[in-house]
Amino acid sequence: DADVTQTPRNRITKTGKRIMLECSQTKGHDRMYWYRQDPGLGLRLIYYSFDVKDINKGEISDGYSVSRQAQAKFSLSLESAIPNQTALYFCATATGISSYNEQFFGPGTRLTVL
Amino acid sequence: AQSVTQPDIHITVSEGASLELRCNYSYGATPYLFWYVQSPGQGLQLLLKYFSGDTLVQGIKGFEAEFKRSQSSFNLRKPSVHWSDAAEYFCAVGAMGGNKLVFGAGTILRVKS
């Protein structure tokens, strides 16, 4: 079984809808991250969490919110989806004092907003 | 703030040929540098990382990278490319004492037989 899982893997939704992307990990890591990937832009950080009570905005948090329900679960919500949020979304985890230990990525969720 | 530039969007090499993927970073102090690979339909996997010490870093799958402070570069190399190396490659930089990575735009590698 995969260590970092994301659900759903693919999602098509309409403008204005609320949508939640979920991430679960079995690695026992404290740190979790949400990124979005757009062609030609690489990965950009949306939110990150160093433990259940510590959540931080990344460089592109507008229009998104997150919830760290437990050490193993980190959800990303789009309160009112818009077409320019169409992207590939990745969850990642890491451990250690420094965040520059290796980050382990999930398989991604492809989101299309019509 | 740190930034990363990967000048080549696409690169095509023949199987068995050598490979070099370029990465330039902008950061005022010693950076933490990474190369990740994304195979089609997969998440990202770490190839190698540089924090300090020897400027030539060995990674998985036969890859290596060299940190050159004078050129602000961290280029990825492989002496002989295999068809399975076809993927997208991302360079990333982090700041000492920071807690986030900044990724480059990626380079798509195509391998022709």
Side-chain angles (χ1 to χ4, degrees), chain A residues 6-12 19 21 88 108-112:
Chain A
Q6 294 183 234
T7 55
R9 292 294 311 278
N10 289 281
R11 180 71 183 266
I12 299 174
I19 185 168
L21 309 183
L88 186 55
T109 294
R110 185 168 297 280
L111 175 66
T112 303

Side-chain angles (χ1 to χ4, degrees), chain B residues 87-99:
Chain B
E88 189 164 15
Y89 292 79
F90 293 94
C91 181
V93 63
M96 185 181 295
N99 47 32

